[in-house]
Amino acid sequence: MIRQLISRVFGRGPGKPAVVPSARHGIRREAISNGSRRVVETLQDSGYEAFVVGGAVRDLLAGIAPKDFDVATDATPEQVRRCFRRARLIGRRFQIVHVTMGQEIVEVTTFRGHHDQRDGPRAQTDAQGRVLRDNVFGSQKEDAARRDFTVNALYYDPVAETVTDYHHGLDDLERKTLRMIGDPATRYREDPVRMLRAVRLAAKLDFVIDAGTQRPIGELAGLIENVPPSRLFDEMLKLLTSGHSLKCLQRLRAEGLHHGLLPLLDVIVEQPLGKRFVTLALENTDRRVREGRPISPGFLFATLLWNEVLARWEALKAGGERPIPALHEAMNETLDAQAEKLAITRRVASDIKDIWAIQPRFEVRSGKRPYGLLEQPRFKAALDFLLMRAESGETDAALGQWWQDFLDADGPKRVAMLLEQTPAAPKKRRHRKRKPAANAAEVESEGETH
Ligand code: ATP
Ligand code: MG
């Protein structure tokens, strides 16, 4: 009904897009970034077609502040480059141009063409149908058909203030529905990451995934295993830092999509303690993202994998290994097991290890070592991690509080705090030994192992 009405009002014929004026879509040109607006204007002045496209248009229409503004054009990357003083060609799988406008970098892509035309060049695919290389240029219409969801295929022209809509994206926005363009199963086979995008965007936008778009996911979830681990890492990072990580992970699990990503997560969330810890970590991350505070990928993955480290660490210690070497072995085993599926970058992996390796060092609260710990570059992250362990019930809350107080204290107060914790003199010690506080005993023996 609505579609027919729109077609009638805006004169859409078969295969023709609706070109919707601002009175209906409501986006004002002031809402887009200066940089992207100037890029579009410059390209149009040079005689090319140019639009703001993708996530930015979708988010503006959904009332969300866009993260970035991408531009699509019929100019080739080389032609785009020649229009701007500061422009660089980048990209392997897709060739794109980065145009620098003041502080802003605007990503400009040339319209992509079909790769399944009988007489045109074919995209290279692997045995499962995954597209490997894809640099065929095309018309705006072809470009729209190549995008994933209808709401991602809307083109905003800030000069004319129109939205061009080939696939009823505006209707789907109104219905809060995520719908794949074309045959969903084929599109997932071409690029299995689209399954993850469906989950992430539905959570972010609070949309439902259309039944037809959702249906093939269960059957095709295994294709995720076929995606290069580095690309999965990028997509997982987007998902985990979306501000809706908890919702996304629950949904991934419900769809059976998590197996190839964080295989360890499956085991982890099944354990009550692990579940509590991971849930806390994700809630904490989502809160930070929504408050606009930075989040560290290292911290995030450290929390997701911690219970796995703990389990392995315990097993190694039970087998007679000394605590600290056992911890390092458990850390490496956990990261190696994870790396087969999802390539955590080396820098992030080193952050993760720093955060983990500091944990047992919090047990030592006497002598000079606590000062040394404060100087560790990852101290603050490690303390946040400890506080979260305490909150989940895995470790003593008093320990985290002590370190927080120690961090906040001035010089004399720190000295006093350390004295309070220092093992008592021999005489008193004998006295204390008759009635030992469980923690004090642990701290003393742990201290000796370092
Ligand atoms: P966000 O930026 O909020 O994460 P987005 O939709 O903008 O979401 P990008 O990765 O920035 O995601 O992609 C920009 C646009 O490129 C999308 O809106 C979509 O039109 C297209 N696109 C991105 N990834 C794919 C894909 N895997 N298959 C088809 N089209 C895609
Ligand atoms: Mg985007």
Side-chain angles (χ1 to χ4, degrees), residues 1-75:
M1 258 293 279
I2 302 173
R3 282 185 193 190
Q4 282 166 2
L5 191 71
I6 291 168
S7 309
R8 224 175 302 138
V9 173
F10 300 107
R12 175 192 282 199
K16 286 262 182 336
V19 179
V20 179
S22 66
R24 168 147 192 262
H25 62 68
I27 301 180
R28 297 164 47 87
R29 62 167 74 94
E30 293 75 33
I32 69 163
S33 69
N34 272 332
S36 58
R37 191 167 141 192
R38 277 166 55 203
V39 167
V40 168
E41 284 167 1
T42 305
L43 287 167
Q44 290 192 2
D45 286 348
S46 307
Y48 300 112
E49 290 176 48
F51 304 85
V52 174
V53 71
V57 183
R58 174 200 71 213
D59 288 354
L60 281 175
L61 289 164
I64 300 173
K67 277 196 318 223
D68 39 44
F69 294 83
D70 299 332
V71 168
T73 177
D74 65 348

Side-chain angles (χ1 to χ4, degrees), residues 77-78 80-82 84-91 95-100 105-108:
E78 190 48 44
V80 173
R81 199 177 61 79
R82 271 189 252 126
F84 300 94
R85 210 162 43 84
R86 289 157 74 198
R88 224 155 59 85
L89 287 174
I90 59 157
Q95 214 181 34
I96 56 183
V97 187
H98 274 179
V99 179
T100 307
I105 294 178
V106 180
E107 215 170 271
V108 184

